[in-house]
Amino acid sequence: MKLGAQMIMLWENGAMSLRSILSNKGRAFLTALGVMIGVASVIGLTALGQGARVSVEGRLSHLGANLLIIYSGEPRGTSLVRQRTTNIAPMLTREDLTFLDSLPQELVTKTAPESSMNAQLKVENRNAAATVIGTDPDYPDVRNFRPVYGAFFTELDVESRRNVAAIGVQVYRDLFPDGRDPLGQTIRINGFPFQVVAIMEEKGSPTQDASVLIPFSTYRRSLSGSDNYAIINVQAASPEVMYELQEIIERELLSLRRVPSMEFANFYIANQMDLISTVTGVADTFTLLLGGIAAISLLVGGIGIMNIMLVSVAERTREIGVRMALGAKPRHIMTQFLTEAIILSAGGGTIGVLLGNLFSWGAQRFGGLASLVTPESVLLAFSFALATGLFFGGYPAYRASRLDPIEALRYE
Amino acid sequence: MIRIRDIHKQYEMGPTVVHALDGVSMDITAGEFVAIVGPSGSGKSTLMNIIGCLDTPDRGEYVLAGEPVAELSDDQLAEIRNLRIGFVFQNFNLLPRATALENVELPLIYRGRGARARRRVAEEMLERVGLADRMTHLPSELSGGQRQRVAIARALVGGPSVILADEPTGALDTRTGGEIMDLFHRLNRDGVTVILVTHDPALAAQTGRSFRLLDGRIVGNGLIDNRREEAVQ
């Protein structure tokens, strides 16, 4: 048959299948329902998985971008989001910091050392407990924790050891419940008077919201008495250099301590990349799992299609006989039923895509869940639905095409 | 037009072997109106299926319009049916959800003809059988006689070598059946070759000549010239 004739056949098959589907809308809907639910659940559930991934990624990037955190003490896993260790002995030295600051711009953009302790705060007759952190002016940039009101303390404040404090939003609420402007107000930290210069942004994490940030020089003089830092935050220049940078830092800090390996070190480095890849790895596994479960429901939908198609072939045995008597070849019959199965699965798939998006939107809007529909999941679910139709429609279509025209014509 | 030589066909029905056709030979020339007549079980349907290229003989020779068709593949048989044979069935066998016009177009679809050409030829055929005003009706909206006319238009539409009518009046009342027979006669006068398969000798007697089948064989030398019998009587 010529190409033109083939196209006509294809078109006619589509029209015939469509007519046959439309002549029994209720059944067509029920047939496609399985595929609809399957596709919708693949898209909806992977959207939840990916939503979880993106929201965790987002939360991690709130820590600051390209962050390496050097902790004093024994390694305790990659606990970047662990509770601040206020009771460990600070073992990172000024020498360490000087080395870090000497690293080229291509590796390190900024550093911020910190030490912290729990302290008692007092304004007039009001008391509050808070974590007091002694650090440097770059801290807001490095940890992505910025003042929303007022200005963070400066290099000048550090050099002149001023008693200035940037307070967390929870601290502000505890100490100034009347909502008055705290700038310029004096708070007492373990008895020492500090002037409030800024309120920090709300992070939703108690360790940050209930903290008070003061210059490290002041912290050492008034509170700790130690030159060492508990933590040094290092902001790498780019995500690509983070592992290289971690190695360089480990090597140099070990050599400064004359210690052969990290096993015996009194510090450890948490790499943001590790955490991100761990967490996103978990989220991806989660996505895969949900997607897999949903794919099974799609498979069940496919079996539904096969079921109905077999019934449809049986019901239309005589029609098939007539078509064969009029000159339909086996492959014409095959194509006709296959087209029908594909239309059903594609239709079900399309509605499923809409439902899946609707589900994802609803989960976000009304369920408060992070949800992200990726184009990949839509493409995957839809093509899987098509493949399901092709595969499970194939057997009934083959059966139809193999009918004996004489038997088929005689069929009651 | 049709040349059949010593055709055999047998079926296994459980343990027994049924010789449905046991050495049938016949010749039908173009433009003839012939009947194949016989009681049920005579092999009539089997012969019709073979002539209609729905089935192939176990052995023997069958030449249709100069083409040996006894040993063709399923696809080739389908092509021959589409080009050479026009079927008319007892129970019409129209597609219930397609209009008269769409039913008539059907053979042309399998020939890959474009929509406009199909429609034109199909309309022409429906006019020819007297259904110009019923083209967009569904079969369920037509009377039995009208349905059979649609079926005949469908058989004619591809310009076949032969119309194969299997008990075409069997589902119709006498008067309507008569009208259908008249239509066949008219078509035959216009040059269409018609083979009528029936169990009814009275119908067979209206045709040019009859082949009488019994137990898979053609009875009495195979040729009954109805006109000559009429003349003798």
Side-chain angles (χ1 to χ4, degrees):
Chain A
M1 220 186 276
K2 287 195 295 277
L3 187 65
Q6 295 276 20
M7 292 305 293
I8 287 169
M9 275 304 309
L10 211 63
W11 171 257
E12 290 302 329
N13 265 319
M16 278 190 285
S17 309
L18 210 59
R19 194 180 307 147
S20 143
I21 288 167
L22 290 179
S23 71
N24 205 334
K25 294 189 193 71
R27 186 160 84 185
F29 175 75
L30 287 177
T31 309
L33 189 62
V35 173
M36 269 177 229
I37 293 174
V39 169
S41 52
V42 167
I43 292 174
L45 292 181
T46 53
L48 287 186
Q50 287 306 300
R53 177 201 166 121
V54 169
S55 97
V56 167
E57 271 177 342
R59 227 173 292 165
L60 286 181
S61 71
H62 269 242
L63 289 172
N66 310 331
L67 194 59
L68 286 179
I69 303 181
I70 310 170
Y71 288 98
S72 303
E74 307 290 319
R76 293 179 200 172
T78 55
S79 47
L80 205 62
V81 284
R82 191 161 52 92
Q83 287 291 106
R84 188 177 300 281
T85 45
T86 44
N87 51 354
I88 55 160
M91 281 176 284
L92 298 163
T93 62
R94 175 158 285 281
E95 209 180 358
D96 295 335
L97 186 63
T98 310
F99 160 71
L100 292 168
D101 285 334
S102 76
L103 286 168
Q105 279 287 316
E106 294 84 52
L107 286 176
V108 174
T109 1
K110 276 172 181 163
T111 60
E114 61 173 287
S115 286
S116 58
M117 60 167 53
N118 292 325
Q120 199 62 31
L121 308 184
K122 197 166 189 233
V123 173
E124 292 152 9
N125 57 353
R126 214 172 286 281
N127 284 292
T131 305
V132 176
I133 303 169
T135 186
D136 273 1
D138 279 340
Y139 188 85
D141 285 342
V142 175
R143 292 300 296 248
N144 192 23
F145 181 41
R146 295 167 204 285
V148 282
Y149 185 59
F152 204 72
F153 54 79
T154 61
E155 208 54 60
L156 190 68
D157 293 325
V158 177
E159 275 165 25
S160 43
R161 294 176 200 166
R162 287 206 184 116
N163 284 10
V164 288
I167 60 176
V169 75
Q170 192 56 49
V171 173
Y172 167 64
R173 283 180 194 139
D174 288 347
L175 293 181
F176 303 100
D178 51 0
R180 95 178 95 124
D181 187 345
L183 296 191
Q185 300 282 332
T186 301
I187 60 174
R188 288 185 175 275
I189 302 176
N190 284 359
F192 297 97
F194 282 79
Q195 197 183 34
V196 176
V197 291
I199 302 177
M200 304 303 286
E201 66 182 318
E202 184 155 15
K203 281 291 203 181
S205 120
T207 43
Q208 284 171 303
D209 291 343
S211 65
V212 172
L213 301 160
I214 60 174
F216 186 81
S217 51
T218 320
Y219 178 85
R220 189 189 59 204
R221 188 194 62 197
S222 305
L223 297 173
S224 78
S226 166
D227 275 342
N228 287 353
Y229 313 112
I231 289 171
I232 300 176
N233 300 289
V234 180
Q235 187 177 49
S238 72
E240 291 75 35
V241 301
M242 286 183 70
Y243 285 108
E244 186 195 344
L245 179 60
Q246 181 177 355
E247 258 177 59
I248 292 173
I249 296 173
E250 277 175 6
R251 205 176 327 119
E252 181 61 25
L253 263 56
L254 285 175
S255 105
L256 283 172
R257 283 162 178 72
R258 299 173 203 285
V259 163
S261 75
M262 286 303 291
E263 242 176 291
F264 308 103
N266 64 351
F267 70 94
Y268 63 97
I269 301 178
N271 190 323
Q272 198 178 17
M273 295 294 279
D274 279 344
L275 194 70
I276 288 177
S277 65
T278 305
V279 171
T280 57
V282 169
D284 284 346
T285 309
F286 187 61
T287 304
L288 210 63
L289 209 69
L290 289 176
I293 292 168
I296 291 171
S297 75
L298 198 50
L299 210 65
V300 174
I303 293 170
I305 284 196
M306 178 156 74
N307 234 328
I308 301 290
M309 289 301 293
L310 281 173
V311 172
S312 168
V313 167
E315 269 183 2
R316 284 149 67 190
T317 300
R318 193 198 283 245
E319 175 190 325
I320 295 165
V322 173
R323 287 179 183 278
M324 285 176 160
L326 297 180
K329 291 175 186 171
R331 71 178 137 88
H332 293 146
I333 303 294
M334 175 112 180
T335 322
Q336 182 188 341
F337 282 94
L338 215 49
T339 310
E340 203 169 311
I342 289 171
I343 290 178
L344 281 174
S345 56
T350 307
I351 298 175
V353 168
L354 296 178
L355 286 180
N357 277 287
L358 198 70
F359 171 82
S360 165
W361 177 81
Q364 195 145 17
R365 179 80 177 70
F366 303 109
L369 294 164
S371 184
L372 179 77
V373 177
T374 58
E376 290 88 352
S377 78
V378 171
L379 205 68
L380 190 80
F382 192 76
S383 39
F384 201 73
L386 270 189
T388 304
L390 208 62
F391 183 76
F392 287 103
Y395 174 64
Y398 175 77
R399 283 252 301 236
S401 75
R402 295 321 304 168
L403 283 174
D404 177 0
I406 301 168
E407 297 290 323
L409 279 168
R410 222 179 275 154
Y411 188 85
E412 290 303 323
Chain B
M1 174 64 64
I2 288 177
R3 177 185 144 93
I4 287 173
R5 284 293 173 275
D6 197 26
I7 274 182
H8 291 259
K9 182 80 183 179
Q10 55 189 39
Y11 297 106
E12 281 172 34
M13 300 271 281
T16 58
V17 175
V18 181
H19 293 266
L21 292 178
D22 200 6
V24 169
S25 300
M26 56 167 54
D27 286 285
I28 297 167
T29 47
E32 262 197 293
F33 190 175
V34 304
I36 294 170
V37 63
S40 69
S42 61
K44 196 175 38 159
S45 306
T46 308
L47 181 57
M48 186 200 70
N49 287 337
I50 288 174
I51 293 175
C53 294
L54 288 166
D55 207 351
T56 49
D58 294 336
R59 59 197 162 88
E61 185 193 9
Y62 173 24
V63 180
L64 172 62
E67 201 166 355
V69 293
E71 281 160 1
L72 295 182
S73 70
D74 284 356
D75 269 15
Q76 288 167 318
L77 285 177
E79 222 156 279
I80 296 285
R81 287 197 297 272
N82 186 253
L83 292 171
R84 298 280 179 218
I85 312 284
F87 285 97
V88 177
F89 302 96
Q90 175 173 6
N91 43 23
F92 323 129
N93 274 337
L94 300 176
L95 301 191
R97 288 189 288 264
T99 64
L101 196 63
E102 287 164 346
N103 265 291
V104 175
E105 283 182 27
L106 210 51
L108 300 178
I109 290 181
Y110 292 115
R111 211 174 281 188
R113 291 277 287 277
R116 209 170 306 162
R118 276 193 331 244
R119 168 167 276 257
R120 189 167 41 73
V121 184
E123 281 173 353
E124 215 169 89
M125 288 305 138
L126 280 167
E127 276 162 28
R128 195 167 167 192
V129 299
L131 286 178
D133 55 343
R134 292 284 186 279
M135 293 197 187
T136 54
H137 287 58
L138 291 174
S140 57
E141 299 161 348
L142 299 172
S143 72
Q146 288 171 331
R147 287 184 214 181
Q148 195 59 300
R149 281 166 196 272
V150 174
I152 292 170
R154 183 177 67 185
L156 284 170
V157 78
S161 303
V162 58
I163 298 275
L164 201 54
D166 180 19
E167 301 282 8
T169 61
L172 304 172
D173 60 60
T174 321
R175 199 175 61 82
T176 321
E179 286 170 14
I180 293 298
M181 283 306 289
D182 289 345
L183 179 57
F184 278 124
H185 281 292
R186 190 154 56 81
L187 294 171
N188 179 241
R189 272 199 301 281
D190 295 345
V192 178
T193 312
V194 182
I195 300 176
L196 175 71
V197 180
T198 180
H199 71 282
D200 183 355
L203 274 186
Q206 295 184 22
T207 65
R209 57 192 179 110
S210 304
F211 296 90
R212 194 158 295 169
L213 266 178
L214 198 64
D215 294 333
R217 293 167 182 275
I218 290 180
V219 178
N221 229 4
L223 294 178
I224 300 159
D225 190 323
N226 294 320
R227 267 174 287 239
R228 196 187 302 160
E229 273 190 357
E230 269 167 47
V232 169
Q233 279 164 4

